Amino acid sequence: MQSFDIDKSDLLRIKTALNGSDAELQQVLQQYHTSEIAILFEKLEPDERERIINILPAEEASEVISEMDEEHHPAELLANLTSEKRSEIVEELDYDDATDLLSQMDESDQQDILREIDQEDATNIRALLSYDEDTAGGLMNTDLIKVNGKLNKNEALEEIIKQSEEMEEFYTLYAVDDADVLLGILSIKDIIKARPMVRVEELVKKDYVYVKADLDQEEVAKLISQYNLTSIPVVNDDMRLLGRITVDDIIDVMEEENTEDILKISGVSEDEELSGGWRDAVKSRLPWLIINLATAFLAASVIRSYEDTAAKLPIISAYMIIIAGMGGNAATQALAVTVRRISLSDLTDRQAYMTVLKEALVGMTNGATNGVIVAGVAMWYDANPILGLVMFLAMTGNVIVAGLTGATIPLILKRVGIDPAVASSIIITTFTDCIGFLLPLWLATKLLL
Amino acid sequence: MQSFDIDKSDLLRIKTALNGSDAELQQVLQQYHTSEIAILFEKLEPDERERIINILPAEEASEVISEMDEEHHPAELLANLTSEKRSEIVEELDYDDATDLLSQMDESDQQDILREIDQEDATNIRALLSYDEDTAGGLMNTDLIKVNGKLNKNEALEEIIKQSEEMEEFYTLYAVDDADVLLGILSIKDIIKARPMVRVEELVKKDYVYVKADLDQEEVAKLISQYNLTSIPVVNDDMRLLGRITVDDIIDVMEEENTEDILKISGVSEDEELSGGWRDAVKSRLPWLIINLATAFLAASVIRSYEDTAAKLPIISAYMIIIAGMGGNAATQALAVTVRRISLSDLTDRQAYMTVLKEALVGMTNGATNGVIVAGVAMWYDANPILGLVMFLAMTGNVIVAGLTGATIPLILKRVGIDPAVASSIIITTFTDCIGFLLPLWLATKLLL
């Protein structure tokens, strides 16, 4: 199959086919990979998605549903199908995907489905449902290939072929003892190359990375990325093998965490759905705006306390909003670099100190440069050299404050255990606004009145 | 090996060992995985890194260097070694990693190394150096397992074992014809299960995703994520197999792209190094600040044009900075959600229209809510109900403008082919600042003077 991008013509074909008979629709659908149908689903209406899922064979329907982004509510789509259809689909799903979907349903739909499906599947899914969805346990799949360490080469190969029957890719093989305790990992290459009577336990690689079921998913992603793994085994406290997490699930975690980072740094609640409704968006954003409003009153009180200065020198309003605004921009820059750096690796005390020093230097340089421009405007346009001096000093000062707070605040928040991305931007704009108004007003009062 | 996090005690051990003899240092290093040494390197000084690399066997040294983040200049470290040591290391590196490192060196170091190393390796690396580093060609590795479609089962297995000698994981197997044209992909499972005289070409899976060498790395990452692949073959226009890209390299691309997204949306040049020096940071950020300064003068000119109003009603300054600031915050929220949504998938016209409508509704609700609070302050604290009305209308209006521009500007930029993350934030704050000053001043002029 050719690698291609879904474009408007594909959407048009599907939309046209949706107006035709089932047979026509089926024929069009056959030309798409299930991942592609999942992408096309993003542009379709809920009833159109339901019709397509009903027409597809259960195996393909299950792939489409497991490929759908959580944003587009695959769980809702599944819950709305007839009980026969949804059982068929759930039975085809990998256990981790089925668990994910069921955990998004309400209790009664969840219980209905668990009653309807094959009881061995139900037991496996129930076990996975007991883990928090943001942990290794919630992310792992119980479908994996494990062989007993006592088996010899041919017994092991037979076992691997048997267990891999329903698996697309088997990634790493695991060796366990009679009590399912993990002995190590195995490569298929070493088994193929081994002499006939060698036992699995002699071939095992004992130098491997594993995680406990309660580890946070972000930490799992870091390990997979650091050690360049394609999968990682999940064990309980007694080292019994519970499941494994594969790299494709980690890629989804990374995308999710990145969305959260960008939202948090912009003052949006991390669980706002990108394509959600307006009411949810209000719920997610209004609290931040109200906190911001409170800090804005603080900045406004600075202006109030210099009412006389503003009255005697009305032109200062136009200048001080420039000083405050530029401070906000410079702080956002320093904040973004520092927050991202912290999220990629922890900093030593010395590195933290150097970061703050660097931002002070950057602030001094960028502040003075912009200060010269503003001073130039004050001197030539408003013909007031002292006003120029005031604005040069205020701009330089505020952009230094911006750099210092942009670097220091996230570093402090991180050390006291608060997510720097969430709280930093409100705190630093409060600083740059207050100082951005205070400096020009105070300096003007001293030097110009 | 246990999964663990590098902490201060590890750093202290290494630092202590660095003060001791080579033998002591070697003993301490043996207790760490090469990935862990690469992480510890982030906290060490350049001369300390060099000493460790010189002490490690070439194979481990090459792993450490290939694991190092580009931020910490592995290419510089490599270039500074003796020519004997660096040749040894480069020969141990995977071709894609060697190419990556050499592409970061200056021309003369690059040519020196290519002369010093094994000439077959040099030819392979030269070929890879010809691809742009941000494309599939720049990302691919030429080490892979390919078998001729005419081989039978046992010949194929022999060939696979021979070729996998130096490979840690072989991911997918590729079947090619005599001219190296890709016939399809193969699973080791199907080969093991096959009858003895079956030819490889009969086992090949023809339904696979491939990419051309010039495809942008971001598109490659999207395909790998969409189709849940662990590797993807790279071909030329004649479908000859050039190499393959593995999922571990894609994880690095995703982290890189995410850093760039967060920097761009915050007005930092996308190639600023997070741990770079202050001069580079000035170069990366000053241009954006100067553009912002120009737009700030535009906003200031709105205030200048209402000088009379401000003179007659000095209290308005304190209010209008609240209106403008809140508009900026609301716009940042709408922008973050829209930019992230666009970067995850393209929107249809209808979806784009619905997004703008949603943001208008969110703006109306959040604006009116904050407007009521500000109006309350104007009515009770300043005892001026008309001022309260003016501020209610101005706040509501500006937050609606914020939502509309926050959603519309990135959608428009995307359609005309400009990266929405780069340019959006400057354009929208210009809007919310100008409207944020204009609305209260204009309304106050009409209703209060």
Side-chain angles (χ1 to χ4, degrees):
Chain A
M1 179 198 47
Q2 195 168 336
S3 109
F4 76 28
D5 261 330
I6 308 291
D7 62 21
K8 278 190 186 165
S9 67
D10 297 299
L11 187 61
L12 197 66
R13 276 178 75 199
I14 297 272
K15 286 267 191 189
T16 314
L18 276 162
N19 290 325
S21 70
D22 282 5
E24 278 164 16
L25 181 55
Q26 228 153 4
Q27 210 194 343
V28 170
L29 290 173
Q30 269 164 21
Q31 292 156 40
Y32 292 93
H33 190 283
T34 50
S35 305
E36 289 154 2
I37 299 177
I39 297 167
L40 283 164
F41 264 30
E42 293 170 11
K43 330 262 185 213
L44 298 179
E45 301 304 314
D47 58 316
E48 295 172 329
R49 294 178 193 161
E50 210 173 306
R51 179 156 173 233
I52 290 175
I53 288 294
N54 273 317
I55 266 184
L56 287 174
E59 192 187 335
E60 285 175 35
S62 76
E63 283 173 19
V64 171
I65 287 187
S66 71
E67 284 294 308
M68 279 175 72
D69 201 295
E70 216 176 287
E71 287 275 322
H72 300 95
H73 308 287
E76 227 169 84
L77 174 59
L78 187 62
N80 287 338
L81 299 173
T82 63
S83 67
E84 194 188 356
K85 186 82 193 177
R86 67 187 187 186
S87 311
E88 271 183 285
I89 291 176
V90 172
E91 284 169 5
E92 286 287 342
L93 285 168
D94 285 344
Y95 292 141
D96 60 339
D97 294 329
T99 307
D100 240 28
L101 289 165
L102 263 70
S103 68
Q104 291 157 39
M105 293 179 186
D106 52 41
E107 193 66 20
S108 79
D109 281 336
Q110 203 180 89
Q111 293 309 325
D112 285 349
I113 290 177
L114 286 171
R115 251 194 313 276
E116 290 157 16
I117 61 173
D118 177 82
Q119 282 312 297
E120 194 196 322
D121 290 344
T123 309
N124 272 301
I125 293 171
R126 278 207 189 88
L128 289 178
L129 276 170
S130 66
Y131 298 105
D132 182 340
E133 64 164 329
D134 291 336
T135 64
L139 210 60
M140 74 184 179
N141 199 331
T142 49
D143 277 331
L144 50 79
I145 299 184
K146 58 182 179 191
V147 287
N148 195 299
K150 293 178 195 153
L151 300 186
N152 67 29
K153 173 183 174 167
N154 284 326
E155 291 166 338
L157 273 177
E158 222 169 280
E159 189 61 33
I160 291 166
I161 291 172
K162 202 182 97 195
Q163 291 184 30
S164 67
E165 215 53 69
E166 297 203 351
M167 244 174 259
E168 298 240 328
E169 264 188 277
F170 47 61
Y171 300 94
T172 311
L173 311 173
Y174 301 101
V176 292
D177 69 10
D178 292 335
D180 246 6
V181 168
L182 189 57
L183 301 173
I185 58 174
L186 270 176
S187 98
I188 182 88
K189 183 180 84 182
D190 291 335
I191 298 181
I192 299 173
K193 282 165 69 178
R195 285 163 296 114
M197 287 320 292
V198 162
R199 277 162 181 265
V200 164
E201 54 200 3
E202 300 171 58
L203 298 172
V204 148
K205 201 179 141 207
K206 294 211 163 83
D207 173 31
Y208 63 92
V209 185
Y210 63 83
V211 294
K212 297 278 172 72
D214 59 358
L215 191 70
D216 185 89
Q217 62 176 7
E218 236 177 307
E219 297 300 316
V220 179
K222 266 192 192 166
L223 285 172
I224 293 228
S225 145
Q226 271 167 20
Y227 292 93
N228 287 341
L229 307 170
T230 51
S231 67
I232 196 166
V234 183
V235 297
N236 72 2
D237 288 334
D238 306 322
M239 285 300 291
R240 276 190 52 192
L241 182 62
L242 301 174
R244 57 120 189 234
I245 297 166
T246 54
V247 68
D248 53 325
D249 294 320
I250 285 303
I251 286 189
D252 297 339
V253 169
M254 287 178 65
E255 272 182 0
E256 201 184 300
E257 301 282 348
N258 287 318
T259 298
E260 287 179 14
D261 279 353
I262 289 192
L263 295 188
K264 281 187 289 188
I265 210 172
S266 307
V268 178
S269 153
E270 59 184 296
D271 32 49
E272 176 171 334
E273 289 184 6
L274 298 180
S275 57
W278 71 273
R279 280 185 200 84
D280 290 329
V282 168
K283 246 183 265 171
S284 138
R285 302 182 205 170
L286 187 53
W288 292 108
L289 287 178
I290 291 179
I291 297 175
N292 266 307
L293 182 58
T295 69
F297 278 119
L298 194 66
S301 72
V302 173
I303 298 182
R304 279 175 188 269
S305 66
Y306 281 93
E307 228 168 81
D308 286 354
T309 307
K312 286 181 203 145
L313 194 73
I315 194 79
I316 196 145
S317 287
Y319 280 95
M320 73 190 182
I321 60 127
I322 294 178
I323 307 289
M326 291 298 288
N329 290 327
T332 304
Q333 293 178 329
L335 180 67
V337 172
T338 310
V339 164
R340 184 67 185 158
R341 195 165 166 214
I342 295 175
S343 92
L344 289 177
S345 77
D346 294 332
L347 301 192
T348 61
D349 290 343
R350 192 184 135 76
Q351 286 175 322
Y353 169 76
M354 294 300 293
T355 302
V356 175
L357 186 69
K358 164 186 152 183
E359 291 301 340
L361 282 169
V362 173
M364 207 179 294
T365 317
N366 287 348
T369 312
N370 284 291
V372 166
I373 300 174
V374 178
V377 172
M379 274 172 0
W380 283 285
Y381 188 79
D382 285 315
N384 189 337
I386 307 289
L387 183 69
L389 178 67
V390 165
M391 290 307 152
F392 170 79
L393 293 174
M395 179 71 91
T396 310
N398 199 32
V399 176
I400 293 174
V401 167
L404 285 175
T405 50
T408 313
I409 304 286
L411 286 167
I412 293 175
L413 290 177
K414 169 83 182 179
R415 303 236 159 173
V416 299
I418 299 174
D419 182 347
V422 172
S424 298
S425 97
I426 289 181
I427 303 178
I428 60 160
T429 40
T430 308
F431 267 96
T432 53
D433 272 357
C434 290
I435 306 289
F437 298 132
L438 185 64
L439 272 181
L441 287 166
W442 177 72
L443 285 168
T445 311
K446 294 281 171 202
L447 299 177
L448 278 165
L449 300 185
Chain B
M1 180 198 47
Q2 195 168 336
S3 107
F4 75 29
D5 260 330
I6 307 291
D7 62 21
K8 276 188 187 166
S9 67
D10 296 300
L11 186 61
L12 197 66
R13 276 178 76 198
I14 297 271
K15 285 266 189 189
T16 315
L18 276 162
N19 289 325
S21 70
D22 282 5
E24 279 164 13
L25 182 55
Q26 229 154 3
Q27 212 196 341
V28 170
L29 290 173
Q30 270 164 20
Q31 293 156 39
Y32 293 93
H33 191 282
T34 50
S35 305
E36 290 155 1
I37 299 178
I39 296 167
L40 284 164
F41 265 30
E42 293 170 13
K43 329 264 186 212
L44 298 179
E45 301 304 312
D47 57 317
E48 296 172 330
R49 294 178 193 161
E50 210 174 305
R51 177 152 173 236
I52 291 175
I53 287 295
N54 273 317
I55 266 185
L56 287 173
E59 193 186 333
E60 285 176 34
S62 77
E63 282 172 20
V64 172
I65 287 188
S66 72
E67 284 295 308
M68 280 176 70
D69 201 295
E70 212 178 298
E71 288 275 322
H72 300 96
H73 307 288
E76 229 169 80
L77 174 59
L78 187 63
N80 288 338
L81 300 172
T82 62
S83 67
E84 196 189 353
K85 186 80 192 178
R86 68 186 186 187
S87 309
E88 271 183 283
I89 291 175
V90 172
E91 284 169 6
E92 285 287 343
L93 285 167
D94 284 343
Y95 292 141
D96 60 339
D97 293 329
T99 307
D100 241 27
L101 289 165
L102 264 71
S103 68
Q104 291 159 38
M105 294 180 186
D106 52 41
E107 192 66 21
S108 80
D109 281 336
Q110 199 179 94
Q111 292 310 323
D112 285 348
I113 290 177
L114 286 170
R115 250 195 314 276
E116 291 156 15
I117 61 172
D118 176 83
Q119 282 311 297
E120 194 196 320
D121 289 343
T123 310
N124 270 301
I125 294 171
R126 278 206 188 87
L128 288 179
L129 276 170
S130 67
Y131 297 104
D132 181 338
E133 64 164 329
D134 292 336
T135 64
L139 210 60
M140 73 185 178
N141 199 330
T142 48
D143 277 331
L144 49 79
I145 300 185
K146 57 182 180 190
V147 287
N148 195 299
K150 292 179 194 153
L151 300 186
N152 67 30
K153 173 183 175 169
N154 285 325
E155 290 166 338
L157 273 177
E158 221 169 281
E159 188 62 31
I160 290 166
I161 292 173
K162 202 182 97 195
Q163 291 185 31
S164 68
E165 214 54 67
E166 300 205 349
M167 243 173 258
E168 299 240 329
E169 266 191 275
F170 48 59
Y171 299 93
T172 311
L173 311 172
Y174 301 101
V176 293
D177 69 9
D178 293 335
D180 247 4
V181 168
L182 189 58
L183 300 174
I185 59 175
L186 269 177
S187 97
I188 183 89
K189 182 180 84 181
D190 292 336
I191 298 180
I192 299 172
K193 284 166 67 177
R195 285 163 295 113
M197 289 318 293
V198 162
R199 281 161 178 265
V200 164
E201 55 200 1
E202 299 170 60
L203 298 172
V204 147
K205 200 179 141 207
K206 294 210 163 82
D207 174 31
Y208 63 91
V209 185
Y210 63 84
V211 294
K212 297 281 172 72
D214 59 359
L215 190 70
D216 185 88
Q217 62 176 7
E218 235 177 306
E219 297 298 316
V220 179
K222 265 192 191 166
L223 285 172
I224 292 228
S225 146
Q226 273 168 17
Y227 291 93
N228 287 342
L229 307 170
T230 50
S231 66
I232 196 167
V234 183
V235 298
N236 72 3
D237 288 335
D238 306 323
M239 285 299 291
R240 278 189 50 191
L241 181 61
L242 301 174
R244 56 124 190 229
I245 297 166
T246 55
V247 69
D248 52 325
D249 294 322
I250 286 302
I251 286 188
D252 297 340
V253 169
M254 286 178 66
E255 273 183 357
E256 199 184 301
E257 301 281 349
N258 287 318
T259 298
E260 286 179 15
D261 278 353
I262 288 191
L263 294 188
K264 281 186 292 189
I265 210 172
S266 307
V268 178
S269 154
E270 59 184 297
D271 32 51
E272 175 171 334
E273 290 183 7
L274 298 180
S275 58
W278 70 274
R279 282 185 198 82
D280 290 330
V282 168
K283 245 184 264 171
S284 138
R285 303 184 205 168
L286 187 53
W288 291 109
L289 287 179
I290 291 180
I291 297 175
N292 266 306
L293 183 58
T295 68
F297 277 119
L298 194 65
S301 73
V302 172
I303 297 183
R304 281 176 186 268
S305 67
Y306 281 92
E307 229 167 81
D308 287 353
T309 307
K312 285 181 204 147
L313 192 71
I315 195 78
I316 196 147
S317 287
Y319 279 96
M320 74 189 180
I321 62 129
I322 294 177
I323 308 290
M326 292 298 288
N329 290 327
T332 305
Q333 293 178 328
L335 181 68
V337 173
T338 310
V339 164
R340 184 67 186 159
R341 195 166 166 212
I342 295 175
S343 92
L344 288 176
S345 77
D346 294 332
L347 300 192
T348 60
D349 289 342
R350 190 183 138 76
Q351 286 175 319
Y353 168 77
M354 293 301 290
T355 302
V356 174
L357 186 68
K358 163 185 152 184
E359 291 301 340
L361 283 169
V362 173
M364 207 177 294
T365 316
N366 286 348
T369 311
N370 284 291
V372 167
I373 300 174
V374 179
V377 173
M379 276 177 351
W380 284 284
Y381 188 80
D382 286 316
N384 189 337
I386 308 289
L387 183 68
L389 178 67
V390 165
M391 290 308 152
F392 171 79
L393 293 175
M395 179 71 90
T396 311
N398 199 32
V399 176
I400 293 174
V401 168
L404 286 175
T405 50
T408 313
I409 305 285
L411 287 167
I412 292 175
L413 290 177
K414 170 81 182 181
R415 303 237 157 170
V416 299
I418 299 174
D419 182 348
V422 172
S424 298
S425 99
I426 290 182
I427 302 178
I428 60 160
T429 40
T430 308
F431 266 96
T432 53
D433 273 357
C434 290
I435 306 289
F437 298 131
L438 185 64
L439 272 181
L441 287 166
W442 177 73
L443 286 168
T445 312
K446 293 282 171 200
L447 299 177
L448 279 164
L449 301 184

